[in-house]
Amino acid sequence: MTTNSFPATFMRGGTSNGLMIHRSDLPKDESKWQPILSSAMGSPDPYGRQLNGMGSGISSTSKVCVISKSDREDADVDYTFVQVGIKDGSLDMAGNCGNMSSAVGPFALNERLVPHIEPLKDGIEVKVRMFNTNTSKILHSTSSIDGAESRYEPGGEYSIDGVPGTGSRITLSFLDPAGAKTGKALPTGNPVDMLQLEDGNMIKASLTDIANPGVFVLASDIGIPGDIHPDTLGSKAELMARLEHIRREGAKAMTLNPDVQSVPKIILLSPPSDADAADGVNIVCRALSMQQAHKAVPLTLALNLGASCRLPGTLADQIAVDTAGKESVVIAHASGRLEVGSAMVDGKIESALLHRTARVLMKGEVFYTVDD
């Protein structure tokens, strides 16, 4: 067993955190990343806690972004998102992560990966153009800089549910987000499909691919309340197994590999209560990620859901309230609320956007062990 290290920055992005690594500090051959990144995060760990690494035992904190300067004319940096399996140490690079994407722009600014910084607003905001290799999509990240050093400015008055305190607002714009993995917003061509389960029953599902693929089902069809607490949902082993089966059937219908846990994810939908609707909520969701009940909602799936509310006939469109004529949707999730926007032109999703905050937590050397 040999111990080595690599330089990295540990950052919070939205409601996730993870390691930010220069691509030049990892092997050129991505097939050699697995033992390095899994060990750095503390996986594999049969106890599910990742005490021997930088992870903390839940899917939203077992993440890595690998960043480099881009050779593309339409991007400043390229980045690859890596979801590290907690118990098995596998690396899943099938999809993107919206929360960690919000940390890429600030990291690129701090590490001087953006060759030409062009101030946008009073010289205090800049745009970083990012190419996500997982989905082959372009994102724009607009954030504040300190002015003097042109570094990311984390301080501000913007707050997001699920994160204490405030920070400067980061705006992420996902350009042409439809068909991130399948090439189509509706991979089957249908706003609603019927999935056959192993017990012979059928269930309605909207299979949509916007920013990241999702399998959307109604909480009422599963027999649970739409505002169920994640801990309660996660404690129901039989229900969780059934939801995983539904997710896998949805993946097959979308011609995706059902064995890949990161895409598609499954989301349970319900309409808001009258009180919440009066307070501006348009739709309620509960999310699963990597066979765990998510404490909030994966951002790319929130973007998917927000856009799906504007796709005629989908389950989201059917149950969302008061969305007519609006470009943004307020989603109530397990940790609060999230507003996501989408721009539609002639029925096509031109862009989707959301707001996050991010912060550098630590910078230094991360140690890992590999077999000799």
Side-chain angles (χ1 to χ4, degrees):
M1 191 79 71
T2 301
T3 298
N4 295 305
S5 68
F6 58 83
T9 301
F10 190 58
M11 290 187 69
R12 176 185 64 79
T15 54
S16 295
N17 60 40
L19 291 175
M20 315 295 288
I21 307 169
H22 285 276
R23 202 186 196 291
S24 58
D25 290 322
L26 291 176
K28 290 183 178 181
D29 184 354
E30 293 183 5
S31 66
K32 296 181 179 180
W33 290 3
Q34 192 278 329
I36 299 172
L37 297 183
S38 62
S39 175
M41 296 304 289
S43 296
D45 183 355
Y47 303 103
R49 299 180 67 188
Q50 293 180 309
L51 285 178
N52 209 31
M54 298 296 294
S56 55
I58 58 176
S59 64
S60 58
T61 61
S62 187
K63 300 183 174 185
V64 175
C65 288
V66 182
I67 305 103
S68 64
K69 287 185 178 181
S70 180
D71 293 328
R72 298 172 60 99
E73 291 186 359
D74 57 354
D76 300 307
V77 295
D78 299 338
Y79 76 101
T80 300
F81 168 69
V82 184
Q83 180 78 55
V84 180
I86 295 167
K87 291 188 176 183
D88 63 5
S90 62
L91 302 189
D92 190 335
M93 295 182 278
N96 190 15
C97 171
N99 275 303
M100 290 308 298
S101 293
S102 67
V104 174
F107 175 84
L109 291 170
N110 288 351
E111 297 295 311
R112 300 293 193 258
L113 295 179
V114 184
H116 303 292
I117 298 176
E118 297 182 8
L120 297 177
K121 177 184 174 184
D122 300 327
I124 60 171
E125 284 189 347
V126 296
K127 178 171 68 178
V128 178
R129 305 170 305 159
M130 312 183 304
F131 176 72
N132 174 246
T133 65
N134 308 79
T135 59
S136 297
K137 293 290 186 179
I138 294 289
L139 292 76
H140 289 170
S141 172
T142 303
S143 59
S144 299
I145 56 174
D146 62 10
E149 297 292 332
S150 295
R151 293 182 178 275
Y152 168 64
E153 171 53 64
E157 300 302 318
Y158 190 73
S159 64
I160 59 175
D161 288 338
V163 178
T166 63
S168 65
R169 189 178 75 173
I170 299 168
T171 299
L172 285 178
S173 179
F174 292 68
L175 307 186
D176 187 23
K181 297 301 291 185
T182 67
K184 299 178 181 178
L186 297 174
T188 67
N190 305 317
V192 176
D193 287 280
M194 299 298 296
L195 302 180
Q196 184 165 2
L197 307 183
E198 54 191 357
D199 60 7
N201 290 321
M202 306 287 285
I203 190 166
K204 294 181 295 185
S206 285
L207 310 174
T208 56
D209 181 9
I210 304 164
N212 251 350
V215 177
F216 295 93
V217 297
L218 299 180
S220 58
D221 286 347
I222 304 296
I224 59 174
D227 61 354
I228 190 171
H229 193 278
D231 292 343
T232 303
L233 177 59
S235 69
K236 298 180 181 293
E238 186 175 335
L239 175 60
M240 291 291 286
R242 185 170 186 235
L243 290 171
E244 171 59 12
H245 179 64
I246 294 171
R247 188 199 70 82
R248 292 178 65 88
E249 292 302 311
K252 293 176 186 176
M254 301 169 85
T255 67
L256 296 171
N257 183 355
D259 293 331
V260 174
Q261 285 292 317
S262 63
V263 293
K265 289 180 172 62
I266 185 167
I267 308 290
L268 309 177
L269 304 179
S270 59
S273 65
D274 291 342
D276 282 345
D279 197 29
V281 174
N282 302 114
I283 196 166
V284 178
C285 80
R286 291 296 183 266
L288 274 69
S289 176
M290 309 296 286
Q291 296 192 51
Q292 291 182 329
H294 204 285
K295 302 296 184 183
V297 59
L299 275 195
T300 49
L301 270 297
L303 287 170
N304 188 332
L305 175 54
S308 293
C309 287
R310 305 182 67 195
L311 291 180
T314 63
L315 294 178
D317 171 58
Q318 293 178 35
I319 68 168
V321 301
D322 195 28
T323 60
K326 295 182 177 179
E327 290 191 351
S328 63
V329 173
V330 176
I331 300 168
H333 54 80
S335 294
R337 300 177 182 182
L338 173 67
E339 183 175 4
V340 296
S342 56
M344 308 281 287
V345 177
D346 297 328
K348 179 183 177 181
I349 306 164
E350 190 173 68
S351 64
L353 63 87
L354 51 82
H355 303 299
R356 297 277 88 184
T357 61
R359 190 168 80 90
V360 174
L361 304 177
M362 187 180 69
K363 185 175 181 179
E365 296 287 316
V366 176
F367 289 83
Y368 65 94
T369 57
V370 293
D371 293 331
D372 293 329

